[in-house]
Amino acid sequence: MIHSEISHHRMASQKLYQENQCSPQEIVHHFGAMQAQDYAMAKWAIGSRCNSSEKEIEEAVNSGKIIRTHILRPTWHFVSPDDIYWMLELSAPQVKRLFATMAKQHGFDEKKFGQVNSAIEKLLAGNNHLTRDEIMKELNIEKSTGDLSPVIVMMNAELDGLVCNGKMKGKQITYALLEERVPRPKTKLSKEEALAKLALRYFESHGPATVSDFSWWSGFPVTICKKTLNAIELQLNQITIDNQQYWLKKGLLDEDNFRESVHFLPAFDEILISYKTREASFNTEHQSKVFTNNGIFKPIILENGKVIGIWKRTFKKDHAKIETEFFNETEISKKHIIFEGIKSFEKYLETKIIIE
């Protein structure tokens, strides 16, 4: 394999070649954790990998078949109910350390968090799903400019395994008690077992990838990631390209993983955000158009595994408008072929799409 072929194998690992259709919850389980801070786009990250509509994916989230919470890096992720507890126990301590100083500046220590968590538990008991504003009102925490107390309080409650997403209230996100949505398992994994499980899930769903990629995605230091990889290396295949080691699912290289394809993928999609370096997917001269220095990733147009442009959608009364920006001059005839890739998004939204 050469470096330019990495993206084709990643497309296969990330289930962007839809040969075996999966349910939304199977897609999330496959990835372990899927970036989900942009809720609308995160649903499409699942939808682009299966035949489910947005309504069906929303129902999976509302019913608790897919959990949305803060886990791994300090951001929202989709995670499977089967994985939520062991993954939280593994990653929560390191994520909490990242915002400990900010929490202290806002007057929160372990004692204060304990008191707040007790109050939240009473508010949400009995499958009572409330928005963050509703919870803050009951806690007498006023919403003010520059005050991050509401964010700190709810993120801490998520990382403590107390709350997760509840049912959507219109377009508003709610919180629910995690144990009322997902029963706690009777057995626990050791830290080493959990790290090994997380690493195997990552390399099988994202490979070919490096140890640095896994470190970025998981939030764990490279030294810990290297040690973990040593423990599972016999369960993976390894290749070396330009003196760099890549790890991937066994059998992946035995498949023909190149095929003509066009994908309109969401902002913050795993195909880009889950790797520390992303040169396999796009020309670095276009980096500023693909994502900003402060980490805002744009929706991308992917042709044969390579980013060729960006897009955005705007919802109108009876249709969705799609605007595109290609990095290089593109012939009208080729654009018509590329725009065939938006049909899956039209099916997913269950509404007419107009391209401008």
Side-chain angles (χ1 to χ4, degrees):
M1 187 196 302
I2 58 176
H3 189 269
S4 61
E5 295 176 325
I6 291 174
S7 61
H8 305 314
H9 295 290
R10 286 179 177 174
M11 295 278 284
S13 295
Q14 293 211 13
K15 292 192 177 295
L16 284 166
Y17 296 141
Q18 300 179 34
E19 290 184 346
N20 301 312
Q21 290 304 317
C22 298
S23 67
Q25 50 268 36
E26 287 172 331
I27 294 292
V28 173
H29 185 271
H30 171 72
F31 278 90
M34 295 181 74
Q35 187 98 356
Q37 78 266 39
D38 186 326
Y39 181 57
M41 281 292 181
K43 287 184 291 181
W44 173 229
I46 299 173
S48 62
R49 292 164 167 87
C50 64
N51 276 336
S52 299
S53 67
E54 182 180 30
K55 291 178 182 177
E56 290 169 332
I57 294 169
E58 178 107 348
E59 176 53 33
V61 177
N62 280 337
S63 65
K65 293 177 182 176
I66 294 171
I67 299 298
R68 183 170 179 261
T69 192
H70 281 83
I71 205 166
L72 297 185
R73 307 181 304 280
T75 188
W76 293 94
H77 282 86
F78 284 138
V79 63
S80 167
D82 294 339
D83 297 321
I84 184 65
Y85 284 109
W86 69 261
M87 206 176 285
L88 264 179
E89 190 168 334
L90 175 66
S91 68
Q94 68 168 358
V95 179
K96 289 181 76 170
R97 282 195 292 271
L98 293 175
F99 74 92
T101 300
M102 182 172 63
K104 190 173 182 180
Q105 290 171 345
H106 284 75
F108 292 96
D109 55 20
E110 286 304 309
K111 182 179 179 180
K112 183 69 177 292
F113 276 136
Q115 294 169 343
V116 170
N117 279 357
S118 295
I120 292 173
E121 187 171 12
K122 290 177 182 177
L123 287 173
L124 299 180
N127 287 303
N128 191 24
H129 297 198
L130 299 175
T131 66
R132 187 170 70 189
D133 285 349
E134 289 171 334
I135 294 171
M136 293 305 113
K137 184 177 180 180
E138 293 296 327
L139 296 177
N140 292 317
I141 296 177
E142 294 184 7
K143 185 178 180 180
S144 59
T145 304
D147 186 357
L148 297 176
S149 294
V151 175
I152 293 167
V153 164
M154 297 315 301
M155 187 185 295
N156 181 78
E158 288 174 295
L159 294 169
D160 282 344
L162 177 64
V163 304
C164 64
N165 70 292
K167 295 179 181 178
M168 292 294 289
K169 189 175 287 188
K171 293 186 177 181
Q172 290 188 292
I173 294 163
T174 71
Y175 291 87
L177 292 180
L178 177 57
E179 286 195 45
E180 290 187 345
R181 309 211 87 191
V182 185
R184 281 191 180 273
K186 295 180 180 179
T187 58
K188 288 187 175 184
L189 299 178
S190 67
K191 183 176 181 179
E192 290 72 22
E193 290 171 332
L195 277 166
K197 188 171 184 175
L198 188 69
L200 189 62
R201 191 79 61 85
Y202 173 78
F203 287 107
E204 289 188 342
S205 61
H206 294 78
T210 67
V211 174
S212 294
D213 292 329
F214 174 55
S215 174
W216 153 252
W217 178 83
S218 68
F220 285 95
V222 172
T223 50
I224 291 177
C225 293
K226 284 181 178 178
K227 184 177 179 180
T228 300
L229 187 55
N230 290 338
I232 64 166
E233 61 181 351
L234 295 180
Q235 299 176 65
L236 297 167
N237 277 349
Q238 181 264 327
I239 55 172
T240 301
I241 304 174
D242 297 334
N243 297 317
Q244 177 68 64
Q245 287 185 319
Y246 292 82
W247 301 86
L248 59 155
K249 180 182 178 181
K250 278 187 174 293
L252 185 67
L253 297 183
D254 298 332
E255 305 167 10
D256 180 8
N257 285 324
F258 174 78
R259 62 204 69 182
E260 297 286 336
S261 67
V262 173
H263 292 85
F264 282 70
L265 294 179
F268 301 101
D269 193 84
E270 290 287 312
I271 199 68
L272 287 188
I273 202 167
S274 58
Y275 305 99
K276 184 174 182 180
T277 57
R278 304 165 179 109
E279 292 85 353
S281 296
F282 65 87
N283 191 319
T284 52
E285 70 179 271
H286 304 306
Q287 178 172 309
S288 61
K289 294 181 179 179
V290 178
F291 62 91
T292 63
N293 289 334
N294 58 344
I296 303 299
F297 283 71
K298 308 289 182 62
I300 55 173
I301 305 170
L302 212 62
E303 182 186 30
N304 300 332
K306 306 296 182 182
V307 181
I308 61 168
I310 56 177
W311 63 286
K312 65 178 180 178
R313 84 285 187 250
T314 307
F315 292 107
K316 303 297 183 179
K317 185 176 181 180
D318 60 350
H319 69 277
K321 183 178 76 171
I322 301 294
E323 298 174 80
T324 60
E325 179 187 339
F326 294 96
F327 297 154
N328 298 309
E329 188 172 337
T330 305
E331 296 175 4
I332 296 297
S333 58
K334 185 179 180 182
K335 282 185 179 180
H336 285 308
I337 297 171
I338 290 171
F339 290 152
E340 288 291 308
I342 204 66
K343 285 186 175 179
S344 59
F345 190 54
E346 187 173 53
K347 182 180 177 182
Y348 161 82
L349 288 178
E350 298 179 299
T351 192
K352 182 180 179 181
I353 282 180
I354 296 176
I355 300 172
E356 295 187 355

